[in-house]
Amino acid sequence: MTRHTMSSGLLNPVGSDAGGAVITAFLVFVAVCLLWVFTLAAQDENPERLYTAGRSLSPVFNGFAMAGEQISVVSLFATTGAVALFGYDGFATAVDSAVALAVLLLLAQRIRRSGRYTLGGLFTLRASGQGLRTAAAVVTLVITIPLLVIQLRAGGISAALLIGKSSSAAQIACTVLMGGLIVCFAAVADLKGTSLLQVVKVPVTLLVLAVVALLSLRKMEWDPGVLLETAARNSVDPEGFLAPGLWAHTAGLGSLNTVSDHVVVVLGTAMLPHLILRVSASSTPHTARRSVSVATGLVGAFFLLLITTGFAAAAVVGSKDIASVDPNGQAAPVLLAAGVLGYGSDPRIVLITVMACVAFMAVLTGVTSISFAAAVSLTHDVFARAGRSRTDQGEVRVLRSVVVGLCVLCLSLSVAVHRQPVEFLVTFSLSVAAACVFPVLVYSFFWEGFNRRGLLWSVYGGLFLCAVLTFFSPTVSGTSYAVWPDVDFSWYPYHSPGLVAVPAAFVLGWLGSNASGGDTRGAFRRALSRDVGR
């Protein structure tokens, strides 16, 4: 691959031949997307229909939209980069993300049958009270804010790379500009309008990745074995590239760390609030399960292509060149798209431009979906029940205000921490979802003795353990990839808290429920009778 250097001395990952055309086409695409969004802006002032698209989405349509929820800018760029730089370790992370929807598949029918679409609603299946909804809102925010910060940061980095810039200042500027556009989108979007973009994004993304993968295989004489051999040879560690332990986050931490990471990624991804909201948009419990089944197949294909693209990037570009642009490997898809076709050719420019458009759609839909689900939770579970009566129009206005406020807050945080190694926040968010949501849903659906005290112990206990264990883990201090690498106050030896926090949350839920009485069966039947017809 020919490397191109900008006047600042930084590597230009795109090349001067494509820069102007990519920027022009990218801006046109952004304008079209925003015009489309404002055209589709919801006019419905009924909150319930706004939150769940009137529960009118067909199984296939909702399945494609659900798959789109998994195609985020983080998965698109960071996962590919992890495979390109760390081989087997990145591959294992991608596989975990691909199988996560299988967990949601087991609970989809029960979630839809409950009639609830926020964590606050699901948390009150076995008991009632504002305290439970407040706990759900806290968990939703703790999950959502770190994810939004990382999504916006990754979106800015990828946008800068795709327009041929790799400096920190350019990345921050792109983060602010893209964040501003996304705030405008999120301010008018609803679940149905976002779903349309998600559905369009899925086939376009799969097609682009497939084209890049096929062009890469063509360079390797259409032999996957040659591609893997070349990827290993061009990696930073040819002997260890296809074996566990190359990634610093996993090296030397043992098999229990690997188990902990698997638990967090699989369970946490399945329990994210925006996926639960998506399940609730199905018309019936049966169609909810069908939607998740469709999404599972599409997401499997997406991650298979991501894995192929990651190994192809290592083979065609080389791990050292990828790391020279971005140490986390997020430049891998861009560099691969720029390297599989001849410099100066029109197809190369088209491929890079389409990759830029896919990246924008990924960050646009990802941030909007996550912020919308969080705003629905706060509006429906907290503000709408604060004792002050509001009309439907008033509740919708509150929703819009919360979405904008949340996006602005996360955009500000994203800029503030741009130069910090805060990738661990994704693991923290998934850990909270795995420890605070998964045990509660399992107990709520399958154990008649689960009650208010058990839920609060499980949620707050799991949240406390996730926060403490993450803070005292190698991701925060004492390692080369930590927030504070020069000091070491870590005593928890693993990368993620899931190995301790998830079992502890189950135990706390059981202990708390057995420490107090109460007729949870009657509360559960009353909850279902109120909501099953929704």
Side-chain angles (χ1 to χ4, degrees), residues 235-253:
S235 70
V236 294
D237 185 358
E239 298 297 326
F241 185 70
L242 299 179
L246 183 59
W247 201 350
H249 288 60
T250 60
L253 298 182

Side-chain angles (χ1 to χ4, degrees), residues 246-469:
L246 183 59
W247 201 350
H249 288 60
T250 60
L253 298 182
S255 57
L256 288 179
N257 177 75
T258 303
V259 172
S260 182
D261 287 347
H262 289 330
V263 167
V264 163
V265 174
V266 173
L267 298 183
T269 302
M271 296 293 104
L272 294 175
H274 57 285
L275 286 180
I276 292 175
L277 180 64
R278 176 69 59 189
V279 169
S280 301
S282 302
S283 57
T284 66
H286 177 67
T287 58
R289 184 178 177 85
R290 283 185 59 196
S291 294
V292 180
S293 298
V294 171
T296 302
L298 292 169
V299 169
F302 168 68
F303 278 102
L304 178 62
L305 289 170
L306 274 192
I307 292 168
T308 305
T309 303
F311 284 123
V316 175
V317 182
S319 297
K320 291 182 180 178
D321 281 352
I322 294 171
S324 68
V325 178
D326 182 81
N328 294 315
Q330 293 184 65
V334 184
L335 294 172
L336 180 60
V340 292
L341 293 171
Y343 180 75
S345 65
D346 290 339
R348 178 180 183 269
I349 296 175
V350 171
L351 186 59
I352 296 173
T353 301
V354 175
M355 182 70 76
C357 296
V358 167
F360 177 72
M361 288 182 70
V363 68
L364 178 69
T365 54
V367 170
T368 301
S369 293
I370 295 171
S371 59
F372 182 78
V376 168
S377 179
L378 290 174
T379 304
H380 181 264
D381 296 332
V382 179
F383 298 126
R385 300 171 186 270
R388 177 183 172 184
S389 60
R390 285 189 175 89
T391 63
D392 288 349
Q393 295 172 334
E395 186 171 335
V396 171
R397 283 195 294 271
V398 171
L399 173 73
R400 302 301 186 196
S401 301
V402 173
V403 169
V404 172
L406 192 59
C407 287
V408 170
L409 170 65
C410 293
L411 178 59
S412 303
L413 292 174
S414 181
V415 172
V417 302
H418 181 81
R419 293 181 173 87
Q420 303 299 320
V422 292
E423 287 76 14
F424 76 94
L425 290 176
V426 174
T427 303
F428 174 70
S429 287
L430 296 180
S431 299
V432 172
C436 299
V437 181
F438 182 70
V440 169
L441 295 192
V442 170
Y443 276 149
S444 295
F445 289 134
F446 299 105
W447 183 31
E448 293 181 347
F450 191 53
N451 58 28
R452 175 188 177 89
R453 180 176 294 180
L455 187 146
L456 292 176
W457 283 22
S458 179
V459 169
Y460 286 119
L463 182 59
F464 174 78
L465 286 172
C466 286
V468 171
L469 296 180

